[in-house]
Amino acid sequence: MARYITITLDKRGVSCRARLLDAEAPRTCQAVWDALPQSGSAYHAKYARNEVYTLVPPFANPKPGRENPTITPIPGDVVYFGFEAWEIGNPAYGYDDGSEAHGDQGATDLAIFYGRNNLLINGDAGWVPGNVFATIEEGLAEMAAAAQDLWLRGVEGETLTYARAE
């Protein structure tokens, strides 16, 4: 039986529904499912293009490792990244001092991709593969419009929430 999550840009009141890819990424799906709900400040990507994400404290124990990885996510992909503190804590990345990016244990990045031509490469770190663990099946167009609004008007005060779907 398929499992579903909702992903919401809270301030904008826009949600989408994604199906977990249990067959393709079982460890990642279970780690995320067990840790829901998760919520944090929303960010729009600088490097990857059409990505909106949040950083939360690491929750997977043990970490899922690499499964169903990509460096070229497509519209509707929901992706898990596990980062060590040294990988994202650089002040040049623009995260607030109190954000999860500066946590001693690193951070988990939960991201959605809403458009084409994404490439997961960072000028400082190189390739940044992530685990595709879900696919958005409902609400992608509305989420893409809200994500473009984030890009144009800013992310301040916006949160991104992942929760189990009813």
Side-chain angles (χ1 to χ4, degrees):
M1 176 125 176
R3 297 187 290 175
Y4 290 87
I5 59 174
T6 57
I7 305 162
T8 305
L9 285 166
D10 298 304
K11 184 177 173 183
R12 285 166 174 78
V14 176
S15 293
C16 60
R17 181 177 165 96
R19 177 179 45 84
L20 293 184
L21 301 174
D22 283 303
E24 296 88 345
R27 295 184 311 273
T28 306
C29 288
Q30 196 59 53
V32 171
W33 186 259
D34 289 346
L36 294 177
Q38 291 288 326
S39 187
S41 295
Y43 299 99
H44 195 288
K46 289 183 186 180
Y47 302 109
R49 272 185 77 95
N50 302 300
E51 173 191 9
V52 174
Y53 65 97
T54 190
L55 298 172
V56 297
F59 53 74
N61 188 13
K63 293 179 181 180
R66 198 76 71 225
E67 62 179 359
N68 203 30
T70 190
I71 56 166
T72 56
I74 62 173
D77 277 352
V78 184
V79 183
Y80 166 100
F81 302 89
F83 291 113
E84 301 297 328
W86 63 268
E87 292 179 288
I88 59 171
N90 182 337
Y93 290 162
Y95 298 111
D96 293 333
D97 284 338
S99 81
E100 205 53 51
H102 300 288
D104 291 341
Q105 300 301 311
T108 296
D109 173 334
L110 297 173
I112 63 166
F113 290 84
Y114 64 88
R116 296 176 53 89
N117 300 319
N118 303 296
L119 185 61
L120 301 179
I121 190 166
N122 177 305
D124 296 330
W127 298 110
V128 186
N131 294 354
V132 180
F133 72 92
T135 186
I136 297 171
E137 294 187 342
E138 297 173 23
L140 180 58
E142 295 81 2
M143 189 60 80
Q148 280 296 294
D149 187 61
L150 280 175
W151 179 250
L152 294 172
R153 293 178 192 20
V155 298
E156 188 171 2
E158 182 63 88
T159 54
L160 188 63
T161 298
Y162 290 73
R164 293 179 182 186
E166 297 294 321

